[in-house]
Amino acid sequence: MNKFFKSKNKNIYLIILFSLIFFVGVFSYKDYGVSSDEPNSRIKGMSTTNYLGQMFFPIITKNYKEKFSLETNKKYNEIANLHESGDIKYYGVVFEFPAFLLERILNINDKHKQFEFKHFLTFLVFFVSLASFYKLLDIRFKNWIIAALGVIILILSPRIFANSFYNNKDLIFLSFFIFSIHSSLIFIEKLNFKSLLFSALFCALAIDVRIVGIITPVILLTVLAVKQYFNHKKNKFFFRLILQYIFFLSLFIILFWPYLWSNPINNFLEAFSVMSKYPLEIFNFFKGEYILSTEIPKDYLFIWILITTPPIYILFFIIGLFIFTINFIKKKKERFNQNFFKDFFCLSILFSVFFIISYLESTLYNGWRQLYFLYALIIYFSIFGIYELYLLINKSYKKYLIFLLLGSLVFTLNWMIVNHPYQYVYFNFLAGKNFNKNFEMDYWGLSYKQNLEFLLKNEEKKIFRIFNLSENKIYYHASIIPNIDRKKIRFVDNPLEADY
């Protein structure tokens, strides 16, 4: 086994692993429906592109919109002003702006193709973050097999896999969060200008995707200060480095978030205030009851994480936390080494977010998708638990640990294949047999795609009418259906006029 996985062959195995993941994504991205939030996300990209176009290329932008209107018989005149576009202006556009710009450059005009293209781009960003996650774990554990295992566990997380195609909010933030953690771990290890610049850049980009990303540089600077104190390094160099970091972080935050340009401080504080307790009051279906998103119970987040994560990952996460605590207490010589500060950095972010969410009584809805970025840290400590346990146990028991891991991964992979493309409603056995009667299922209306495809395949009428009872706007979800097929569907307001 050791010969099979020897280091000189690692590049071959890694190419195979990442090629498999990439091709699975390429053959899967068209299988998922449009979520309720995707149309608004596209508007955000459109408003930003229009804003920047009018600012830097006014004549080209004007001519393009006029030409577009003539060619497609659609109007580009009524685009929401970036600073008057409701709450969506408080979201960064690191992903949405280039995604929309690419769509226009490639002249993708059919809604069906637009959303498929967006799904591919969303997966592509996540795929790159998997490579970053591998490097992150390799930096910490100095073991390519353990790092590759972390990537496998992350991709074999049913809800994360499904969301990596259509969730251009939470999964894009997870991806950029991974970039920020990766670059920050390098900065912790190597206090030089190059690592400072990369950490500041990727932390800023994460913040510019979602403002909660501010937690990473705050914790990073705190951990560096603690490390500086215990290592007794020169203070002048350190303070200069920190000032440089704050300068470049601030510069990059403003640079990549056009909404801030007109009034950087006020607009940032306004966005932070709104997003820390998002003013959306909707009902969550939780433990068989409807509860307001502004009045979530204390156990809401922990239960959602517990029932939607493969149990073996949770088990090793708990083992990882336990071993980290024991090592801190007993291994005094290793208490403040490089690896400790890396682990402490990740753990501090994890528990700080849990505390802040509880303290601010933040709005949560649609399961725990707004906090999917924490999943990277959960897997980090799951890998920590696997790695440390493997080193601790007797040689004769190591094979049982390997069989347990392989068996669990194969079981999860099989579930994902059998239930494709519905991995977004994964629940483990802890949710109980009647999980669909106790917890939200398809809250984003993704399965409309398969429902409409079924009707188009089996309905004999050339045109059929649908009345929608759901709060989800079905005409949004119908956008994933090719234009020629959408013409066969009519949405009506009166149920008496409907065929379905």
Side-chain angles (χ1 to χ4, degrees):
M1 179 69 82
N2 290 334
K3 289 181 180 179
F4 184 74
F5 287 110
K6 56 188 176 182
S7 295
K8 71 177 184 179
N9 294 325
K10 77 171 186 178
N11 290 338
I12 296 172
Y13 302 132
L14 289 174
I15 289 170
I16 292 171
L17 172 63
F18 281 96
S19 296
L20 279 172
I21 294 171
F22 181 75
F23 284 114
V24 167
V26 167
F27 287 108
S28 300
Y29 78 93
K30 293 183 179 181
D31 298 339
Y32 295 89
V34 170
S35 73
S36 304
D37 279 9
E38 285 187 79
N40 271 343
S41 295
R42 187 172 175 275
I43 289 171
K44 183 170 58 179
M46 183 191 300
S47 298
T48 304
T49 306
N50 185 57
Y51 174 76
L52 295 177
Q54 290 179 335
M55 180 179 289
F56 296 109
F57 308 104
I59 297 174
I60 294 174
T61 302
K62 182 174 182 262
N63 291 341
Y64 175 81
K65 288 194 287 187
E66 288 175 355
K67 182 183 176 184
F68 179 88
S69 299
L70 287 171
E71 290 179 354
T72 63
N73 199 29
K74 294 178 183 178
K75 291 186 178 180
Y76 242 131
N77 300 326
E78 299 175 1
I79 301 174
N81 183 285
L82 181 63
H83 292 80
E84 299 172 359
S85 53
D87 291 338
I88 65 171
K89 65 176 176 281
Y90 300 125
Y91 290 91
V93 291
V94 168
F95 174 72
E96 299 300 338
F97 163 60
F100 183 81
L101 188 62
L102 274 173
E103 174 200 300
R104 292 299 85 224
I105 290 171
L106 297 174
N107 201 32
I108 304 172
N109 294 324
D110 184 81
K111 287 183 180 179
H112 161 66
K113 293 295 182 183
Q114 287 171 352
F115 285 110
E116 281 192 343
F117 178 65
K118 192 77 165 289
H119 289 186
F120 175 73
L121 289 181
T122 304
F123 173 77
L124 195 60
V125 173
F126 177 65
F127 175 76
V128 175
S129 79
L130 290 176
S132 182
F133 193 60
Y134 168 82
K135 295 298 292 182
L136 181 162
L137 294 175
D138 194 41
I139 288 169
R140 166 57 183 88
F141 298 103
K142 305 294 189 294
N143 186 309
W144 77 270
I145 296 176
I146 284 293
L149 178 62
V151 171
I152 293 168
I153 288 176
L154 186 54
I155 198 70
L156 291 185
S157 300
R159 287 189 175 236
I160 298 299
F161 176 79
N163 277 258
S164 70
F165 295 99
Y166 56 81
N167 190 342
N168 48 51
K169 285 184 175 180
D170 311 297
L171 258 288
I172 291 296
F173 181 54
L174 166 64
S175 300
F176 278 89
F177 180 72
I178 289 172
F179 299 147
S180 70
I181 296 296
H182 176 198
S183 58
S184 295
L185 288 186
I186 295 173
F187 189 38
I188 289 172
E189 193 172 74
K190 300 174 183 177
L191 285 177
N192 57 44
F193 185 73
K194 182 180 177 182
S195 60
L196 176 153
L197 207 59
F198 277 105
S199 177
L201 172 62
F202 286 109
C203 284
L205 290 173
I207 293 165
D208 287 353
V209 173
R210 184 165 286 172
I211 205 164
V212 71
I214 194 72
I215 192 72
T216 305
V218 170
I219 297 296
L220 173 64
L221 295 181
T222 304
V223 169
L224 288 175
V226 173
K227 182 184 177 187
Q228 180 74 8
Y229 174 79
F230 283 104
N231 289 344
H232 307 291
K233 295 289 179 72
K234 293 180 181 179
N235 287 330
K236 286 185 179 179
F237 168 76
F238 177 73
F239 287 132
R240 186 167 67 248
L241 210 64
I242 295 305
L243 289 174
Q244 288 175 334
Y245 183 88
I246 292 170
F247 169 77
F248 283 108
L249 177 71
S250 304
L251 177 67
F252 290 139
I253 289 172
I254 296 167
L255 182 63
F256 294 105
W257 195 348
Y259 171 65
L260 301 183
W261 293 357
S262 60
N263 195 334
I265 295 174
N266 283 351
N267 287 357
F268 183 86
L269 292 176
E270 183 183 349
F272 184 84
S273 175
V274 171
M275 298 307 289
S276 62
K277 193 171 175 62
Y278 194 65
L280 179 64
E281 194 171 80
I282 60 173
F283 282 104
N284 287 314
F285 189 53
F286 180 68
K287 293 200 291 189
E289 297 180 358
Y290 286 98
I291 57 170
L292 283 172
S293 56
T294 52
E295 299 175 4
I296 61 168
K298 297 293 184 185
D299 62 350
Y300 178 89
L301 177 57
F302 297 102
I303 286 180
W304 268 110
I305 293 174
L306 200 62
I307 64 177
T308 58
T309 304
I312 197 72
Y313 307 167
I314 295 291
L315 174 63
F316 283 115
F317 169 74
I318 294 169
I319 291 172
L321 292 184
F322 178 75
I323 294 176
F324 175 81
T325 305
I326 295 300
N327 287 348
F328 179 76
I329 295 169
K330 291 188 173 182
K331 296 183 179 181
K332 294 183 180 180
K333 290 183 179 180
E334 299 176 15
R335 187 174 291 175
F336 299 113
N337 63 15
Q338 287 279 24
N339 284 337
F340 166 79
F341 285 110
K342 292 169 189 172
D343 300 336
F344 180 60
F345 167 65
C346 293
L347 193 63
S348 297
I349 294 175
L350 187 64
F351 282 103
S352 294
V353 172
F354 284 147
F355 174 77
I356 291 167
I357 292 295
S358 177
Y359 178 77
L360 292 178
E361 297 182 341
S362 298
T363 304
L364 291 177
Y365 48 91
N366 300 155
W368 65 292
R369 67 173 180 83
Q370 292 93 347
L371 298 177
Y372 275 170
F373 68 97
L374 294 179
Y375 197 73
L377 300 180
I378 292 172
I379 300 305
Y380 179 97
F381 280 99
S382 295
I383 290 297
F384 181 94
I386 293 167
Y387 179 75
E388 292 291 334
L389 189 61
Y390 187 83
L391 295 178
L392 283 171
I393 60 177
N394 188 283
K395 188 176 181 181
S396 60
Y397 291 106
K398 292 184 189 295
K399 61 182 178 183
Y400 296 113
L401 176 60
I402 294 170
F403 288 145
L404 176 64
L405 269 171
L406 288 176
S408 176
L409 292 173
V410 169
F411 178 83
T412 304
L413 174 62
N414 180 67
W415 189 95
M416 291 173 67
I417 293 170
V418 170
N419 293 280
H420 181 79
Y422 307 108
Q423 297 95 342
Y424 50 82
V425 289
Y426 169 83
F427 288 93
N428 63 38
F429 71 92
L430 295 172
K433 291 182 179 179
N434 297 319
F435 55 84
N436 59 316
K437 295 180 180 178
N438 290 301
F439 301 98
E440 286 181 297
M441 298 287 286
D442 184 13
Y443 48 77
W444 257 350
L446 293 152
S447 58
Y448 274 121
K449 171 180 164 63
Q450 285 75 32
N451 294 335
L452 292 172
E453 285 174 344
F454 176 84
L455 290 177
L456 287 164
K457 183 179 179 180
N458 293 282
E459 176 57 65
E460 294 180 357
K461 292 181 180 178
K462 290 183 178 180
I463 295 176
F464 56 91
R465 294 170 176 80
I466 296 175
F467 172 76
N468 187 39
L469 281 168
S470 171
E471 288 186 5
N472 284 314
K473 297 173 181 177
I474 192 170
Y475 50 86
Y476 282 170
H477 305 288
S479 298
I480 200 66
I481 303 298
N483 187 46
I484 191 169
D485 291 326
R486 281 202 311 274
K487 292 178 180 179
K488 300 175 185 177
I489 305 169
R490 296 286 185 275
F491 299 113
V492 296
D493 297 325
N494 186 348
L496 297 176
E497 299 174 0
D499 299 302
Y500 300 96

